[in-house]
């Protein structure tokens, strides 16, 4: 009788342990696949006064509607370089970056010299447009005309300066060929042009740039085009550049009399390679559907053709994003 009771007691313990083990395994599987509502996303953007941060705020509730996402935290960061590093370190799961920085990370060049990074894209976004503005009476009609002139090239190490150097290089000019170079930000460049201390300045941003709009209201200026051989040389050497046209008669784009042909650098949403295919698929789907509604509030997102957001990206797509775009038939 005692032996029989002992056997029954032992059997009960074994069954209990087996049940507990099964629950642990199920819980682990659910967590690993990004199961219902358990995925937290830290969304790296940029400074609070820039465009990246409000985009993050606009997309936060869209992504949080997903059954697979618990919450999205929009984080103000140092933008592109910091965002890539944060994803690499596991601090962010999603971020917005400029394509030129992403290209350097993938190639292991520039600020990522010697260390290639696995950058995976979810979607393309608006372009940061290279806008070269000159005083009307400066005689500057082309990039070549910047030779011997006083030019603002953006803050040291900024994306604006990187673009300025590349554009000058495309017509075989360097800083030494200019009479004066100032490392001024947008507002200071505009003030120096108003005071006659600069002939021209570089701006790399969305269109319109409020600082250029301010300058136009007080000073006669012209946009210096980047087109033809100059644009072709840039795009051939640096594949992150794309053609861009500032339209004529568009009130949202300076309301110019004549169109301006230039180049731009596309912004992208990137995601951590560690995110599951299902989670990224669902976020991509929600982003795509959101762009097709009247709810889009941020001006930079209104410029997007949603059927173009998967094309000409410098980074490979995350498998979840690629699956969605293939289903939509919008991959090249």
């Amino acid at each position: 009788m005692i032996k029989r009771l002992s056997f029954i007691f032992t059997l009960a313990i074994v069954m209990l342990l087996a049940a507990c083990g099964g629950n642990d395994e199920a819980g682990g599987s659910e967590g690993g696949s990004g199961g219902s509502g358990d995925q937290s996303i830290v969304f790296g953007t940029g400074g609070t006064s820039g465009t990246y941060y409000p985009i993050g705020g606009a997309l936060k509730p869209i992504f949080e509607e997903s059954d697979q996402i618990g919450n999205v935290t929009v984080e103000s960061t140092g933008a592109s370089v910091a965002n890539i590093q944060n994803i690499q370190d596991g601090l962010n799961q999603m971020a917005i970056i400029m394509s030129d920085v992403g290209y350097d990370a993938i190639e292991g060049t520039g600020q990522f010299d010697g260390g290639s990074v696995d950058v995976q894209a979810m979607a393309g976004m608006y372009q940061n447009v290279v806008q070269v503005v000159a005083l009307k009476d400066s005689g500057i009609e082309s990039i070549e005309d910047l030779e011997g002139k006083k030019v603002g090239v953006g803050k040291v190490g900024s994306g604006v300066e990187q673009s300025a150097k590349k554009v000058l290089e495309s017509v075989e000019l360097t800083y030494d060929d200019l009479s004066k170079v100032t490392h001024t930000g947008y507002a200071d460049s505009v003030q120096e042009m108003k005071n006659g201390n600069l002939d021209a300045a570089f701006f790399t941003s969305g269109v319109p740039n409020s600082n250029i709009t301010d300058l136009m209201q007080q000073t006669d200026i012209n946009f210096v085009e980047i087109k033809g051989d100059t644009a072709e040389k840039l795009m051939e050497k640096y594949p992150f550049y794309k053609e861009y046209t500032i339209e004529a008669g568009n009130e949202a784009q300076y309301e110019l009399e004549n169109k301006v042909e230039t180049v731009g650098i596309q912004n992208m949403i990137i995601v951590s390679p560690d995110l599951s295919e299902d989670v990224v698929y669902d976020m991509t789907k929600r982003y795509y559907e959101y762009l097709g509604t009247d709810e889009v509030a941020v001006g930079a997102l209104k410029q997007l053709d949603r059927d173009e957001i998967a094309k000409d990206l410098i980074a490979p797509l995350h498998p979840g994003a690629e699956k969605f775009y293939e289903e939509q038939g919008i991959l090249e």
Side-chain angles (χ1 to χ4, degrees):
M1 182 68 177
I2 294 175
K3 288 182 179 180
R4 186 179 178 185
L5 289 173
S6 176
F7 172 77
I8 294 172
F9 181 73
T10 302
L11 181 62
I13 291 176
V14 170
M15 292 177 66
L16 180 61
L17 290 174
C20 291
N23 287 340
D24 286 344
E25 185 178 351
S29 174
E30 181 177 319
S33 65
S36 178
D38 66 355
Q39 179 67 62
S40 294
I41 300 289
V42 179
F43 192 170
T45 57
T48 55
S49 62
T51 305
Y52 286 4
Y53 189 75
I55 287 176
L59 295 180
K60 170 183 166 69
I62 305 303
F63 295 141
E64 287 182 335
E65 289 175 359
S66 171
D67 291 338
Q68 301 192 58
I69 295 174
N71 68 286
V72 176
T73 301
V74 178
E75 184 176 71
S76 174
T77 69
S80 299
V81 174
N83 288 343
I84 290 174
Q85 292 173 337
N86 286 346
I87 284 186
Q88 191 177 21
D89 294 339
L91 301 176
N92 293 358
Q93 289 71 47
M94 170 181 280
I96 305 174
I97 65 167
M98 283 181 64
S99 288
D100 56 344
V101 178
Y103 179 82
D104 283 345
I106 293 168
E107 296 295 320
T109 58
Q111 297 178 78
F112 297 89
D113 189 21
S116 178
V117 179
D118 183 10
V119 177
Q120 295 190 9
M122 189 189 95
M125 301 187 77
Y126 69 100
Q127 291 190 53
N128 277 357
V129 181
V130 182
Q131 300 163 75
V132 185
V133 177
L135 296 176
K136 196 75 171 178
D137 59 3
S138 66
I140 300 172
E141 299 291 338
S142 67
I143 298 299
E144 290 88 344
D145 293 338
L146 292 174
E147 184 175 2
K149 301 297 185 179
K150 299 171 289 184
V151 184
V153 298
K155 294 181 179 179
V156 175
S158 66
V160 180
E161 187 188 26
Q162 297 305 311
S163 288
K165 285 182 175 180
K166 290 178 174 67
V167 171
L168 292 170
E169 173 192 279
S170 69
V171 294
E172 300 181 355
L173 293 179
T174 68
Y175 287 170
D176 292 338
D177 297 309
L178 310 179
S179 66
K180 178 182 178 181
V181 174
T182 63
H183 289 91
T184 43
Y186 296 154
D188 289 337
S189 289
V190 164
Q191 191 58 51
E192 290 295 278
M193 289 183 73
K194 288 179 181 178
N195 296 338
N197 297 325
L198 286 179
D199 298 307
F202 281 81
F203 301 78
T204 302
S205 71
V207 175
N209 182 300
S210 60
N211 295 276
I212 295 176
T213 303
D214 173 51
L215 180 63
M216 293 173 69
Q217 292 172 349
Q218 300 185 43
T219 309
D220 290 331
I221 66 167
N222 63 277
F223 285 83
V224 183
E225 293 188 299
I226 302 172
K227 61 182 182 178
D229 289 343
T230 303
E232 288 176 10
K233 286 179 182 178
L234 272 173
M235 291 186 289
E236 182 178 351
K237 186 169 184 179
Y238 304 106
F240 45 79
Y241 280 111
K242 292 184 176 184
E243 293 178 340
Y244 188 93
T245 299
I246 303 175
E247 300 170 355
N250 187 332
E251 188 176 352
Q253 294 190 342
Y254 306 118
E255 204 167 4
L256 301 175
E257 291 185 9
N258 301 301
K259 69 178 182 179
V260 174
E261 294 181 28
T262 183
V263 294
I265 303 170
Q266 188 176 34
N267 294 285
M268 298 188 302
I269 297 177
I270 62 172
V271 289
S272 169
D274 296 332
L275 285 178
S276 75
E277 182 177 309
D278 288 346
V279 168
V280 177
Y281 175 95
D282 196 41
M283 289 195 298
T284 307
K285 179 176 184 290
R286 291 177 185 280
Y287 176 60
Y288 178 83
E289 291 175 347
Y290 170 68
L291 294 179
T293 70
D294 294 330
E295 298 175 11
V296 180
V298 180
L301 294 182
K302 291 181 179 180
Q303 302 173 19
L304 299 179
D305 178 347
R306 66 177 184 165
D307 288 330
E308 298 293 319
I309 60 175
K311 298 178 180 178
D312 298 324
L313 301 177
I314 58 90
L317 288 166
H318 185 285
E322 185 174 24
K323 179 182 177 181
F324 173 77
Y325 295 132
E326 284 178 344
E327 290 179 358
Q328 294 299 310
I330 59 176
L331 284 180
E332 290 182 319

